[in-house]
Amino acid sequence: MKSINGYNESMTSGLALMKQEKYSAAIQKFDDALSFRANDKDATDQRNIALDEIAWDKAFEVYTIESFEAYLGGNTLREYYQEAHNNIKRKLVNFGEQYAQNMDIVNMEKFFNKYLSNYPSGDDVAKVKQIMCDTYYRKGNSFALTKTNYDQTEAVKYFEKASKICIDKSDLNNKIKYANRLAIRYGRPDRSFYTYAYDANCKMGLSIGTVN
């Protein structure tokens, strides 16, 4: 009789604490119930629910990609599986977009490529690809304005990145070809020249210069 009363009291207290969202205290009560009835399904189920709530609260309190990934990788019930993924997707897109606006290609790629890899059928795939396309295009154009081998080579790199992800590639091939030609041209060493001129006003003239 004492065993039955002890089990019932522990379960009643545990369930009341669950309603108050006092999950750690509830777990203690469910442990007490299990001490009276080892492997009891109701006590075990409620204990697992409480553990999952604690894990989710921890993830939500930190509210980072890593915290939600830790929740998903844990060994609790993962009742918030879809919500955790939704938060991760939202953060990957938001961070990627912020870095794209600042032309921080490395970090943009870090977040957007992770999104495309982990969520290939995600709702924001088209949006992510378009932002990457526009950012690569702008970055390529910024390098294309400077007449050096390095800048033209960088322009080619970003135009090629754009061509792999942009839907509209209408002018990218021409931009790549033109920047490649300029990269070769500006990569050549300057060549010196001397010219002599003669006319009635100048019996002997000498011009010196360089050409690329």
Side-chain angles (χ1 to χ4, degrees), residues 39-54:
N39 303 318
D40 179 75
K41 185 179 186 304
D42 289 339
T44 300
D45 288 348
Q46 290 299 322
R47 187 180 191 279
N48 287 337
I49 292 171
L51 285 171
D52 192 52
E53 292 291 344
I54 289 172

Side-chain angles (χ1 to χ4, degrees), residues 1 3 35 37 42 51 73 76 100-101 115 126 173-174 191:
M1 190 70 173
S3 175
S35 72
R37 290 186 186 178
D42 289 339
L51 285 171
T76 62
Q101 290 171 355
Y115 180 92
N173 288 335
N174 288 333
R191 289 167 289 178

Side-chain angles (χ1 to χ4, degrees), residues 118-195:
N118 292 353
Y119 305 103
S121 300
D123 294 338
D124 289 317
V125 166
K127 174 183 176 179
V128 165
K129 287 184 175 181
Q130 188 60 54
I131 293 173
M132 293 179 81
C133 166
D134 294 342
T135 306
Y136 289 143
Y137 195 90
R138 286 189 295 129
K139 192 74 170 179
N141 278 335
S142 69
F143 278 112
L145 296 173
T146 307
K147 297 179 180 180
T148 68
N149 169 264
Y150 170 81
D151 287 281
Q152 295 302 320
T153 301
E154 288 294 294
V156 170
K157 180 176 78 174
Y158 287 108
F159 287 143
E160 287 179 340
K161 281 177 176 280
S163 71
K164 292 177 182 178
I165 204 164
C166 293
I167 295 175
D168 181 5
K169 302 176 174 63
S170 55
D171 67 337
L172 281 168
N173 288 335
N174 288 333
K175 282 183 172 291
I176 291 169
K177 289 178 183 177
Y178 185 65
N180 263 321
R181 286 201 301 270
L182 291 181
I184 294 171
R185 175 182 172 185
Y186 297 135
R188 291 195 302 251
D190 290 339
R191 289 167 289 178
S192 300
F193 67 85
Y194 299 86
T195 60

